[in-house]
Amino acid sequence: MSYHSLVPTYHVENFGCRATQADGATLERQFESRGLARASAAQADLVILNTCTVTNSADQDARAAIRRVQRHNPLAKIIVTGCYAQRAPEEIANLPGVTAVIGNSHKHQLAEIVLGERPREDTAFLPVSTLTENLGRTEDSIFVSDIFAHTELLAAPVFEHTTHESDRTRPNLKVQDGCDNRCSFCIIPSVRGNSRSLPLAQVIREMNTLVAAGYREVVISGINLGRWGRDLDFGPRTSDVGNALHWAQGLQSEVRSPTPHFVDLIRAILSETNIEKLRISSVEPMDWSDDLISLVASSPRIAKHAHVPLQSGSDAVLRRMHRKYRPWHYREKIEKIRAAMPSAAIGADVMAGFRGETDAEFDATRRLIADLPLTYLHVFTYSARPGTPAAAMPDQVPVRVARERNKILRDLAALKKLAFMQSLIGESLQAITLNVIHDHPDGEFTEALTDNYQKLHLKGLHQPNRWITARVTAVQDGAFVANPLPTTSA
């Protein structure tokens, strides 16, 4: 019997990107389908730490979490999975308190491994003392194999964090995993494997399930989202985009290309589901085709938001990074997106302090960002990852200099974001309601997110998961202040 309850309990804690969070949602499905109950990290019998390893600090966060769980819940079985587990399993297995290390290569079997592949109908009644009984402090506690032989793709919706499940909005669905690029700074391909796509029929099923559950906006994401479909072969393709779903069912028509592209996925979702708003997460510059830009711009059912990773505005740095585009290619894409969508949010990832980055190369990045109509940045300081080509490159930028460059870019981003937001004062914007703001200084407000990815504080109390139209009256503390207009969605 569990020392906490009659039913064994679990807790999944996710670190890092949306893809990791999506994996964590699938892990929760695995345990719930076997009769286990969710609990807090301080109370759960099994604590699964789903780790990231994109930076040194991500590794440190995972190690700190192991220590925290051990301190607050000393009887818990601690299972470490995810990207850090895939990259350095022995290192993690030697940490005090770790019961098992299960890499991304075995994540799809995690519950089976932890529960000893016991019959599902009996799982809920197993004494917790028997859980993970096969996993001693030996090599048997490590489950990691060649990630490039891994073909599984975990996909379960991830929801915005809220206090109450009834307030959940904007589920995120991962439709692609892995990456075929080999950027010199990036460890992700070696811990997530080659690019692989969620089959179109499964995407449509998951989307329709979310629509049937009442969700008005769904975000689709992936490690390299724009590469969705390149590993799939549906045979000859129809010219009718409405028949995209039929490719996955083996129906064929006139011959064009047997390989679907990301824009075909978007068309299929619009055609085969009734989702009110589809939001696209990060897509690499080379995958923002003219067709995709045109589709996003023309469809009222697609959020006017483009996240286009940049990393550097220096041609020499991009070459050392092994990125597949040049600064002028990037400029062209951003200018096309802005021309097609004048009020769209356009964001970028950018890295400060990459190996060998000179003052002139950094200034090229700063000038390009200043010139472009970007509305926000995610700024990262370079962190050497063992096993990547960049880690062996000479001329590391001093930490102090890298941090100064990071601050310069963040300050520039803040100015651009503020200018963009101020340009929309007086405009009417669509937004989806999220939750009530209890401590707003001006009274009762509801937090919402606009179609073009801006935080909005809406006067009055409004139910979550409702599309509204509001007129922006001011910008305050990084958010729009707005009044709702009479016409609202049900």
Side-chain angles (χ1 to χ4, degrees):
M1 179 180 297
S2 166
Y3 66 95
H4 293 310
S5 66
L6 292 174
V7 176
T9 54
Y10 77 93
H11 176 83
V12 176
E13 184 171 346
N14 299 306
F15 300 80
C17 67
R18 284 176 171 169
T20 297
Q21 294 170 30
D23 292 350
T26 305
L27 296 178
E28 291 181 352
R29 276 187 177 180
Q30 290 180 12
F31 285 109
E32 289 175 0
S33 70
R34 289 164 170 81
L36 277 73
R38 191 182 309 178
S40 68
Q43 293 294 318
D45 303 311
L46 297 168
V47 176
I48 296 89
L49 302 178
N50 188 23
T51 61
C52 172
T53 193
V54 71
T55 62
N56 284 325
S57 62
D59 295 347
Q60 292 168 3
D61 289 345
R63 293 192 293 269
I66 293 169
R67 293 192 296 270
R68 184 177 66 250
V69 173
Q70 209 182 7
R71 185 169 61 251
H72 294 154
N73 188 359
L75 296 181
K77 307 284 189 178
I78 301 176
I79 313 298
V80 184
T81 187
C83 293
Y84 186 20
Q86 184 69 32
R87 184 182 70 78
E90 292 85 1
E91 175 183 315
I92 298 170
N94 287 324
L95 296 175
V98 174
T99 300
V101 180
I102 301 176
N104 285 334
S105 58
H106 286 70
K107 189 184 281 185
H108 61 291
Q109 298 174 305
L110 187 143
E112 296 174 22
I113 292 169
V114 170
L115 301 177
E117 298 184 334
R118 297 176 186 274
R120 180 173 303 179
E121 61 271 19
D122 296 334
T123 302
F125 304 100
L126 288 174
V128 171
S129 60
T130 68
L131 298 182
T132 67
E133 64 183 2
N134 301 336
L135 308 179
R137 293 309 310 276
T138 69
E139 64 275 8
D140 293 334
S141 66
I142 297 177
F143 296 82
V144 176
S145 64
D146 180 10
I147 193 62
F148 293 102
H150 180 50
T151 59
E152 293 285 338
L153 193 159
L154 304 182
V158 177
F159 297 88
E160 295 285 303
H161 175 74
T162 61
T163 304
H164 303 288
E165 285 203 7
S166 61
D167 292 347
R168 297 193 310 182
T169 59
R170 306 183 62 246
N172 186 302
L173 179 65
K174 184 178 72 173
V175 300
Q176 183 276 340
D177 203 347
C179 186
D180 293 337
N181 296 332
R182 294 296 181 265
C183 298
S184 64
F185 57 83
C186 187
I187 195 69
I188 296 304
S190 66
V191 295
R192 283 197 171 268
N194 292 325
S195 179
R196 52 200 183 277
S197 308
L198 193 65
L200 181 54
Q202 190 174 346
V203 175
I204 299 301
R205 282 197 302 272
E206 291 281 359
M207 290 289 297
N208 278 325
T209 298
L210 293 169
V211 171
Y215 295 105
R216 267 75 184 281
E217 176 180 320
V218 175
V219 185
I220 56 170
S221 64
I223 294 295
N224 191 357
L225 180 59
R227 296 280 102 178
W228 180 91
R230 301 302 176 92
D231 57 316
L232 303 177
D233 185 354
F234 293 156
R237 178 174 109 184
T238 71
S239 59
D240 180 1
V241 297
N243 284 334
L245 178 64
H246 293 222
W247 305 340
Q249 300 169 337
L251 301 180
Q252 302 175 359
S253 180
E254 60 185 88
V255 175
R256 287 179 68 190
S257 166
T259 303
H261 287 66
F262 181 61
V263 69
D264 300 319
L265 171 67
I266 304 305
R267 289 190 176 115
I269 291 172
L270 296 179
S271 173
E272 303 297 335
T273 79
N274 292 321
I275 187 64
E276 293 180 35
K277 191 74 68 174
L278 180 68
R279 189 175 299 273
I280 299 169
S281 62
S282 181
V283 172
E284 291 285 331
M286 48 277 197
D287 293 323
W288 278 97
S289 64
D290 289 351
D291 280 352
L292 180 60
I293 294 171
S294 176
L295 180 60
V296 174
S298 63
S299 174
R301 294 171 60 199
I302 305 178
K304 301 303 176 272
H305 173 201
H307 189 90
V308 192
L310 169 61
Q311 306 306 352
S312 176
S314 161
D315 180 40
V317 173
L318 288 176
R319 291 179 188 277
R320 293 201 298 275
M321 288 179 167
H322 300 171
R323 300 288 284 173
K324 294 183 176 180
Y325 53 88
R326 306 276 68 86
W328 48 91
H329 298 149
Y330 188 90
R331 178 188 293 274
E332 178 184 8
K333 293 292 186 181
I334 298 301
E335 289 177 346
K336 282 185 176 182
I337 292 169
R338 174 57 74 219
M341 295 177 278
S343 63
I346 307 177
D349 300 324
V350 62
M351 186 179 293
F354 184 70
R355 284 287 171 92
E357 184 185 61
T358 65
D359 288 342
E361 289 168 344
F362 170 72
D363 194 55
T365 297
R366 184 196 59 77
R367 285 186 284 107
L368 180 63
I369 291 170
D371 287 347
L372 289 175
L374 297 168
T375 63
Y376 70 93
L377 295 179
H378 292 163
V379 184
F380 304 89
T381 300
Y382 170 71
S383 174
R385 297 283 73 204
T388 61
M393 290 179 181
D395 303 324
Q396 175 154 343
V397 175
V399 172
R400 175 187 58 81
V401 174
R403 287 176 177 168
E404 288 173 354
R405 292 174 181 175
N406 183 302
K407 185 177 185 304
I408 289 169
L409 295 178
R410 284 188 288 109
D411 289 346
L412 175 57
L415 291 173
K416 293 179 80 69
K417 179 179 175 66
L418 180 60
F420 174 68
M421 296 184 75
Q422 289 177 335
S423 74
L424 295 171
I425 292 176
E427 297 293 324
S428 297
L429 300 176
Q430 276 194 319
I432 189 167
T433 53
L434 303 178
N435 47 62
V436 173
I437 304 172
H438 294 287
D439 56 352
H440 197 284
D442 297 325
E444 295 183 331
F445 278 78
T446 300
E447 184 178 3
L449 186 74
T450 65
D451 176 274
N452 64 347
Y453 201 55
Q454 306 303 305
K455 186 182 294 185
L456 182 146
H457 293 166
L458 184 69
K459 291 185 179 179
L461 301 182
H462 303 267
Q463 286 187 321
N465 196 36
R466 297 289 184 271
W467 277 103
I468 56 91
T469 303
R471 178 166 288 118
V472 177
T473 60
V475 176
Q476 184 180 85
D477 298 327
F480 288 133
V481 177
N483 293 314
L485 296 179
T487 302
T488 61
S489 70

